[in-house]
Amino acid sequence: MGFIYTLRVLIKSILVLILWSKCEGRESEFNYVTCGSLVKLLNTRHNVRLHSHDVKYGSGSGQQSVTGVESADDANSYWRIRGKPDGTCQRGVPIRCGQAVRITHMTTGRNLHTHHFSSPLSNNQEVSAFGENGEGDDLDVWRVQCDGSIWERDEAVRFKHVGTDAFLSVTGEQYGNPIQGQREVHGMSTANQNNYWKAMEGVFILPSQEPLRHHHEEL
């Protein structure tokens, strides 16, 4: 089932990329992050992208690890922005500041997650990827904190965990083998420069009222 889910997500993403490539010259339509967007998230303080892979933590929860990587080209750094389990998040609708979302790893189908385990390097709060085929539990929900009314693509935002009030953060600690050089990602209780993230590379879904909406609905 995991392979089928990953294959389906990849096919959808490729189709959206093809449609997006036909929209050159319409950059103004993509100046915000929308529900369903597939993005890489850059920690602006440490210049690493949020990343995951099928490597489990050797301590703590033993769940799939989440790290930060310097490479801009790694496919394991794509995450899909989705609604919370009991909420609505219509494809192409801009994400509001203060909105609760799930952030789902494209390759493995697991959700960005945190809980009261200690992180392995800094002893902050462990951040993992959890669930199967995009479904986990209520600890997969994060609130987008930004300055205006919607999440602008060029804006640095924070992600505050709904269940524990921790901020998604990087403070620079580096792992050894088997993920040599990757940075620890963890939750912190305080808002500071280590928990700002910016949407970088990705596929930004058009709003539903745009002419391409019927193509997206078919994906």
Side-chain angles (χ1 to χ4, degrees), residues 8-210:
R8 179 159 54 87
V9 170
L10 284 170
I11 291 171
K12 286 182 179 181
S13 301
I14 291 168
L15 289 172
V16 174
L17 275 169
I18 292 170
L19 291 172
W20 190 34
S21 70
K22 296 178 181 178
C23 299
E24 292 183 22
R26 300 166 67 188
E27 181 65 26
S28 62
E29 295 175 354
F30 298 96
N31 60 356
Y32 39 72
V33 179
T34 56
C35 187
S37 291
L38 187 69
V39 300
K40 292 183 178 181
L41 296 169
L42 178 76
N43 182 279
T44 58
R45 177 69 179 270
H46 295 278
N47 200 37
V48 293
R49 285 161 174 78
L50 188 69
H51 180 91
S52 192
H53 36 228
D54 197 13
V55 176
K56 305 293 192 294
Y57 285 120
S59 61
S61 70
Q63 293 174 5
Q64 182 172 302
S65 58
V66 172
T67 64
V69 296
E70 293 181 349
S71 172
D73 301 325
D74 197 319
N76 279 323
S77 299
Y78 279 112
W79 301 80
R80 189 174 297 280
I81 309 301
R82 306 167 61 219
K84 61 181 183 177
D86 58 349
T88 58
C89 190
Q90 185 178 348
R91 286 174 64 83
V93 172
I95 299 295
R96 303 182 310 276
C97 295
Q99 184 171 343
V101 299
R102 286 178 293 177
I103 303 172
T104 304
H105 190 235
M106 183 190 77
T107 309
T108 63
R110 296 190 172 99
N111 297 322
L112 190 68
H113 180 98
T114 191
H115 38 217
H116 292 299
F117 286 94
S118 295
S119 60
L121 300 182
S122 67
N123 206 37
N124 283 297
Q125 187 166 299
E126 182 192 275
V127 170
S128 64
F130 175 75
E132 295 293 337
N133 300 328
E135 299 304 323
D137 63 19
D138 58 358
L139 293 178
D140 300 342
V141 182
W142 301 77
R143 198 171 298 282
V144 181
Q145 291 193 343
C146 43
D147 292 333
S149 58
I150 60 175
W151 180 2
E152 301 282 346
R153 274 183 57 187
D154 60 357
E155 179 183 9
V157 304
R158 289 188 174 102
F159 299 102
K160 187 175 184 179
H161 190 243
V162 171
T164 66
D165 290 332
F167 292 94
L168 185 69
S169 306
V170 176
T171 50
E173 297 83 4
Q174 294 191 28
Y175 287 104
N177 291 326
I179 49 176
Q180 180 74 37
Q182 295 185 21
R183 310 294 176 85
E184 181 184 84
V185 173
H186 50 248
M188 299 184 74
S189 60
T190 57
N192 55 55
Q193 292 298 313
N194 295 306
N195 30 70
Y196 276 119
W197 300 84
K198 185 177 178 182
M200 302 297 287
E201 306 82 5
V203 180
F204 297 85
I205 304 299
L206 278 169
S208 58
Q209 69 269 25
E210 295 294 334

